[in-house]
Amino acid sequence: MRSVSYFALTAFLSFGLLVSFISPVKAAVDIDPALLPDRSQLVRDALFLGRDLAVLRERLSEADSRSLTLYLNLDSYSVERFQSLSVRVNGQAIVEQRLNPRSSDPVGLKQIRSVALPSGDYKLEVHLASADEKLSESIKFVKGSGRDQVKILVSFNASKSSTQKPPEITLAHEQWGELK
Amino acid sequence: MSWLKVAVLFLSITPFVVQGGNFSEIENISFSHAYSYYQQGDSLNALSLIMAAREMKHLGDDSVEAELFLAENLARMGVVDEALGVYRKIAEHAKSVRLQDTAWLEYAKLSHQQGRYKEAFRALAKIKKSMSGGQQQERQLIQAHAYLAEGKTKAAVKALPKISAESLWAMYQYFNIGVELIEKHRSKHGALVLHHLTKLDVKGQTEREAIRDQAALALGFSLLKMNKAAKARVYFDKVRLDGHLSGIALLGMGWAYSQSGDYEKALIYWLELQERASNSAYSYESLLAVPYAYSKAGAYKQSIEQYKISQKRIDTEIVKLTNAQRSIKSGNLVAMVSTVPDDELAWYGKLAYAASALESRVMPLLMANPGFQKSLMEYRSLLQLDKYVRQMKVQLNELQQLSPKDRSGADLQALNQRYKKLTQQLRLSLNANLQQLEQQAVNTLARYKVQLETYIEQARFGMAQAIEGAIVGAKGER
């Protein structure tokens, strides 16, 4: 007598379904090797085009003028806590921004402003404000170079001893290019 | 270049990207800017920014870490030769021995994945001794796999380490070696390798748990084929019931009890499989398995009823598959695949709830085909690439406004031409890929239809057996 179990199991095995369990897709090669050359070439071309665009943009802004580029990184806690951000250079406001915790901005490091670099020494101030508190940090930079970049990082620090420290602003400064 | 040394701590960055690399502290602005794109899932922008910063020598003291990050992600995207070039450069120029070793190890892993075993061996030979436990295991696994590729099974088995769950890469390789030892080399060591994987403590680590489930399944079915049903059950039992592989484990468990002649226990697992809401190749199996087990257990009446239910369901499923094929041919596949989450380990559970449209209900069947999964992944990668390239048009237009009519104007024109060529090629590639995906979907559904059509005959035959059994049983009682 023919056995149903035999046929069912045979159909199952011959259908090749087991293959999906004994070859993890991510194991050795992520993509179908037959398709790899085409796509990898496209990815390569796109990345190099993106790189060259970024380099040209940088070169144009270098040639254009001495500049100060500001990057901002707020953690999600600080976005919730503060409603506004302002940045001043030598007392002049260059950024006045409302923070909106419901929007996707500005958690994560983002370029927020690029302005002409003041000549000589300059003072940079960052102010964050909520309804009942203000947080400020300022720093003086000795001479702007050709290209100054400042990263403003606002983070809330919770210590291991469960004593919560208030948010802190830290400023990181880099200069590229020749002094003019 | 002057540096204002401040402690910049990126709390959300987890050091998983490059083993041996430490991304918990990134001071360099260019790198951290690029890395924030990566964190938001935009790897292409992240890489092009790092490549630009590298070109302009803006990576400062973080350049080695940035390049390790770059190489790993280039490799992930299939830009292999560039990735190998970056690893080699780091290995030859990094000041720290730890970073040199990490770069040589990554170089060896990538060469190994490309099947360039000699190159991998040469890179391994340059590694000194500053590696972590996980890295040591990776090194031994590359050696073992290379021996296996040369047919040196004994040497491969000797080189195999007993791995921990520290390196995910090592777990995948270990699994592959285990399966290869069983399938190609008929070596009992393969079973030991898989057994070891099933014993690793990986609770709560989704991807590792999935590998462990796969190892248990592969071992369970291997034992079942060798008629060792009791041992097979031990491994089917290890597969998580809430994981995406639980359907096939239920099926296997049923077969294991059926092989031992315990049809009532087999029914418990097959009925559970049958009751699951979503369609899958395994629930199709239960259409025959359940009435078969009833019949074998002497419950002929239930068996006949179940065969009738199955026959109706088979007819309905065939109509559904035909409609889905028609829908795909009318260009609806793009909408259908949009229900599949990006995370391949999450697709099963989410689809079971999300699939309300008739067409989407066939997605679990398509996703059970590894060829379709791969093509879908390829298609989605191309879509991401397309999105990235579209953004470039905006940047090109912005630069057009800024650019004076001098040398940079000529550069911009050249970039524009490259952009046009790239978009044309990308369009062709996307169209070809979608066509291939559609063809694959239609063919996969056709195979399911053939499978179900053979079930019609088997169900008829099974029902005749059950009726015969019922008549013989009734005569015996008289």
Side-chain angles (χ1 to χ4, degrees):
Chain A
M1 194 191 300
R2 283 200 308 174
S3 158
V4 175
S5 69
Y6 171 77
F7 280 97
L9 184 57
T10 306
F12 175 71
L13 293 174
S14 64
F15 197 53
L17 290 168
L18 273 181
V19 175
S20 61
F21 305 103
I22 56 176
S23 356
V25 176
K26 289 183 70 174
V29 184
D30 268 355
I31 44 184
D32 186 348
L35 293 166
L36 191 62
D38 280 342
R39 200 198 57 158
S40 71
Q41 188 60 41
L42 286 173
V43 172
R44 190 189 171 282
D45 289 352
L47 285 173
F48 277 89
L49 182 58
R51 180 199 72 172
D52 294 346
L53 263 171
V55 171
L56 182 63
R57 190 171 52 225
E58 192 74 7
R59 226 180 62 210
L60 282 172
S61 53
E62 266 177 27
D64 195 31
S65 65
R66 296 166 358 113
S67 65
L68 166 64
T69 307
L70 295 173
Y71 293 86
L72 173 70
N73 190 27
L74 290 174
D75 63 6
S76 54
Y77 178 85
S78 302
V79 171
E80 294 281 343
R81 186 174 175 128
F82 296 105
Q83 278 101 48
S84 69
L85 163 83
S86 73
V87 181
R88 290 162 193 267
V89 173
N90 289 341
Q92 190 188 343
I94 56 166
V95 175
E96 295 281 1
Q97 190 171 316
R98 287 200 69 74
L99 303 177
N100 180 3
R102 279 177 298 252
S103 79
S104 57
D105 287 342
V107 178
L109 189 69
K110 292 202 165 61
Q111 186 177 324
I112 52 169
R113 192 74 205 271
S114 192
V115 293
L117 186 67
S119 55
D121 299 352
Y122 65 96
K123 186 182 175 189
L124 186 122
E125 299 163 74
V126 178
H127 304 279
L128 281 165
S130 68
D132 50 9
E133 68 177 315
K134 284 183 180 170
L135 184 65
S136 299
E137 181 67 44
S138 67
I139 197 149
K140 196 171 181 182
F141 295 118
V142 180
K143 283 185 181 171
S145 108
R147 304 271 294 131
D148 277 23
Q149 298 188 109
V150 175
K151 179 163 71 178
I152 304 161
L153 180 82
V154 185
S155 60
F156 175 77
N157 299 313
S159 73
K160 282 179 187 167
S161 61
S162 80
T163 315
Q164 292 184 334
K165 291 179 187 171
E168 285 177 355
I169 299 177
T170 46
L171 301 173
H173 180 227
E174 283 174 15
Q175 296 177 322
W176 306 112
E178 298 299 317
L179 279 170
K180 291 183 180 174
Chain B
M1 190 202 313
S2 75
W3 284 81
L4 179 72
K5 285 284 176 191
V6 286
V8 180
L9 188 67
F10 265 45
L11 293 171
S12 55
I13 293 174
T14 47
F16 70 95
V17 185
V18 176
Q19 289 171 26
N22 179 15
F23 289 103
S24 61
E25 285 185 15
I26 300 176
E27 289 193 2
N28 179 267
I29 292 177
S30 301
F31 184 22
S32 49
H33 187 209
Y35 197 77
S36 74
Y37 273 100
Y38 174 81
Q39 282 183 302
Q40 289 159 34
D42 188 350
S43 300
L44 288 158
N45 258 315
L47 292 201
S48 59
L49 281 175
I50 289 180
M51 286 162 74
R54 188 174 180 242
E55 186 78 0
M56 294 181 288
K57 301 189 175 16
H58 283 185
L59 288 170
D61 290 350
D62 286 338
S63 66
V64 176
E65 283 78 6
E67 293 203 13
L68 273 174
F69 173 80
L70 174 68
E72 171 154 328
N73 283 283
L74 285 172
R76 273 176 201 229
M77 291 181 186
V79 188
V80 174
D81 288 333
E82 263 76 14
L84 286 171
V86 178
Y87 280 136
R88 177 174 282 279
K89 192 187 149 213
I90 299 166
E92 287 172 352
H93 296 100
K95 285 175 190 162
S96 115
V97 175
R98 184 184 66 82
L99 284 170
Q100 285 172 16
D101 283 355
T102 298
W104 280 128
L105 180 66
E106 295 300 321
Y107 187 98
K109 278 160 70 175
L110 190 52
S111 304
H112 157 261
Q113 279 174 210
Q114 300 299 309
R116 304 176 190 173
Y117 297 116
K118 282 184 184 166
E119 221 173 314
F121 268 128
R122 275 199 295 273
L124 288 181
K126 298 189 189 232
I127 292 173
K128 291 166 185 127
K129 54 185 176 183
S130 66
M131 290 192 297
S132 69
Q135 286 178 311
Q136 290 283 5
Q137 289 167 12
E138 289 176 356
R139 178 186 187 170
Q140 287 166 290
L141 282 166
I142 295 170
Q143 282 173 328
H145 208 205
Y147 283 135
L148 214 52
E150 289 172 3
K152 296 175 184 170
T153 314
K154 274 188 185 173
V157 169
K158 204 175 167 192
L160 269 178
K162 271 212 165 177
I163 68 155
S164 63
E166 188 183 329
S167 160
L168 186 62
W169 188 89
M171 282 185 73
Y172 273 118
Q173 296 307 318
Y174 205 59
F175 176 87
N176 284 349
I177 289 174
V179 170
E180 206 172 321
L181 281 170
I182 293 175
E183 287 214 318
K184 284 191 190 161
H185 304 271
R186 305 274 165 209
S187 165
K188 64 179 181 184
H189 291 283
L192 294 174
V193 164
L194 294 180
H195 171 76
H196 178 69
L197 276 173
T198 66
K199 292 188 80 174
L200 290 179
D201 181 13
V202 290
K203 203 171 180 185
Q205 301 172 68
T206 319
E207 198 163 351
R208 286 171 169 80
E209 282 182 326
I211 300 176
R212 196 183 57 183
D213 284 352
Q214 282 181 319
L217 274 179
L219 200 45
F221 275 104
S222 298
L223 288 163
L224 203 55
K225 276 199 244 178
M226 294 157 70
N227 290 324
K228 294 184 176 174
K231 280 188 177 172
R233 285 198 292 272
V234 173
Y235 293 100
F236 290 133
D237 196 40
K238 285 177 185 277
V239 179
R240 289 164 307 143
L241 262 180
D242 58 350
H244 70 300
L245 299 174
S246 57
I248 189 168
L250 288 170
L251 186 66
M253 196 63 133
W255 282 122
Y257 275 113
S258 167
Q259 206 173 70
S260 312
D262 191 343
Y263 299 103
E264 283 172 21
K265 284 244 173 81
L267 265 173
I268 296 171
Y269 294 94
W270 286 341
L271 283 170
E272 160 79 24
L273 183 61
Q274 200 178 45
E275 279 166 18
R276 294 195 165 195
S278 78
N279 287 333
S280 68
Y282 328 119
S283 68
Y284 283 173
E285 285 293 316
S286 70
L287 293 173
L288 288 184
V290 168
Y292 161 78
Y294 271 126
S295 178
K296 281 290 194 182
Y300 299 113
K301 199 178 159 194
Q302 286 98 322
S303 173
I304 294 163
E305 275 170 23
Q306 281 293 327
Y307 273 123
K308 284 179 184 168
I309 294 168
S310 294
Q311 281 173 331
K312 277 186 191 163
R313 167 104 192 269
I314 290 168
D315 290 342
T316 314
E317 289 296 319
I318 289 175
V319 171
K320 197 173 79 184
L321 292 173
T322 308
N323 288 341
Q325 280 180 311
R326 210 171 288 146
S327 177
I328 290 165
K329 284 177 188 166
S330 313
N332 288 332
L333 186 66
V334 173
M336 285 162 69
V337 296
S338 67
T339 60
V340 183
D342 286 338
D343 174 3
E344 70 248 44
L345 292 173
W347 69 265
Y348 180 87
K350 289 187 187 168
L351 274 180
Y353 297 105
S356 54
L358 175 83
E359 295 84 2
S360 302
R361 275 188 267 150
V362 298
M363 283 315 296
L365 294 170
L366 294 177
M367 292 298 284
N369 176 359
F372 182 84
Q373 274 189 38
K374 279 186 186 177
S375 296
L376 180 60
M377 202 152 69
E378 183 75 10
Y379 177 65
R380 286 191 156 167
S381 304
L382 283 172
L383 284 180
Q384 273 187 342
L385 191 61
D386 189 50
K387 190 177 158 196
Y388 169 70
V389 171
R390 279 168 200 265
Q391 290 169 6
M392 283 190 207
K393 186 65 191 162
V394 180
Q395 292 178 33
L396 277 165
N397 288 342
E398 280 171 6
L399 283 178
Q400 204 93 46
Q401 307 289 324
L402 288 173
S403 172
K405 304 272 179 216
D406 60 3
R407 206 173 133 238
S408 60
D411 288 349
L412 199 53
Q413 204 179 354
L415 290 179
N416 254 315
Q417 279 169 355
R418 279 166 64 189
Y419 170 80
K420 275 184 192 160
K421 193 179 164 199
L422 182 60
T423 46
Q424 281 166 359
Q425 287 176 332
L426 195 49
R427 190 69 27 221
L428 285 173
S429 190
L430 264 169
N431 288 341
N433 198 272
L434 183 58
Q435 273 178 13
Q436 188 191 336
L437 196 63
E438 283 171 350
Q439 196 54 53
Q440 219 163 9
V442 169
N443 292 347
T444 304
L445 297 181
R447 285 162 68 191
Y448 280 114
K449 274 167 71 177
V450 171
Q451 184 191 9
L452 286 173
E453 277 155 7
T454 65
Y455 283 9
I456 295 173
E457 186 60 29
Q458 289 184 51
R460 253 187 232 137
F461 181 74
M463 187 144 73
Q465 279 186 316
I467 292 168
E468 193 184 327
I471 293 168
V472 172
K475 278 183 185 168
E477 278 173 22
R478 268 184 240 151

